[in-house]
Amino acid sequence: MMEQLLTIGLFLVIGHFIADYVFQTDAIAIGKNNKINHSHLTVPWYYWMLTHSMVHGLAVYLITNSVILLLAEVFAHFLIDFSKCRGWIGLHTDQILHISCKIAYIAVLFSWSIQ
């Protein structure tokens, strides 16, 4: 069981970095920031942020098969990235918080498995 949870944890971290650095285009990275002048964009910042967060949620769902964790990831990712865009936290804190979420998901999966 522990080996399976560690494997899921590894996939969650890999999925996070793929979603954050491979699937996040420059348009998304700029568009999701509500502190940037978006007059040249036709889509509001929160559409970009929600789309980016949902890509992360989809990655979590594909790895865990849990709609609850998908929703948790969308919510958490939106809040964490919003905080980074506002300048309240830096890049390293942003990444630590994202990885902490993945650790929390492993704890949740573990608690579900022992019930």
Side-chain angles (χ1 to χ4, degrees), residues 12-13 16 73 76 80 92-108:
L12 285 170
V13 171
H16 168 76
E73 177 65 13
I80 293 166
H92 297 301
T93 302
D94 165 84
Q95 292 302 307
I96 289 168
L97 290 171
H98 289 311
I99 300 306
S100 297
C101 288
K102 306 313 182 268
I103 293 167
Y105 303 156
I106 293 299
V108 168

Side-chain angles (χ1 to χ4, degrees), residues 3 13 22 25 32 41 43 58 60 80 89 96 101 106 115:
E3 183 177 339
V13 171
V22 176
T25 64
K32 72 179 186 179
L41 300 174
V43 179
L58 177 62
V60 168
I80 293 166
I89 62 173
I96 289 168
C101 288
I106 293 299
Q115 293 179 1

Side-chain angles (χ1 to χ4, degrees), residues 2-112:
M2 291 307 285
E3 183 177 339
Q4 183 182 15
L5 289 174
L6 288 173
T7 300
I8 292 170
L10 178 62
F11 284 145
L12 285 170
V13 171
I14 292 169
H16 168 76
F17 285 107
I18 289 171
D20 239 14
Y21 295 102
V22 176
F23 292 150
Q24 182 172 206
T25 64
D26 288 343
I28 294 170
I30 293 166
K32 72 179 186 179
N33 190 334
N34 66 338
K35 291 193 77 170
I36 294 175
N37 180 355
H38 289 93
S39 61
H40 66 288
L41 300 174
T42 58
V43 179
W45 72 268
Y46 46 87
Y47 279 48
W48 294 103
M49 183 71 82
L50 186 58
T51 300
H52 175 65
S53 299
M54 287 194 292
V55 168
H56 280 273
L58 177 62
V60 168
Y61 175 77
L62 292 173
I63 295 162
T64 66
N65 200 34
S66 170
V67 173
I68 293 170
L69 295 181
L70 175 152
L71 294 172
E73 177 65 13
V74 169
F75 182 74
H77 204 92
F78 191 103
L79 289 177
I80 293 166
D81 276 20
F82 179 81
S83 297
K84 182 181 69 176
C85 289
R86 296 296 296 172
W88 299 336
I89 62 173
L91 175 64
H92 297 301
T93 302
D94 165 84
Q95 292 302 307
I96 289 168
L97 290 171
H98 289 311
I99 300 306
S100 297
C101 288
K102 306 313 182 268
I103 293 167
Y105 303 156
I106 293 299
V108 168
L109 290 170
F110 178 73
S111 72
W112 289 345

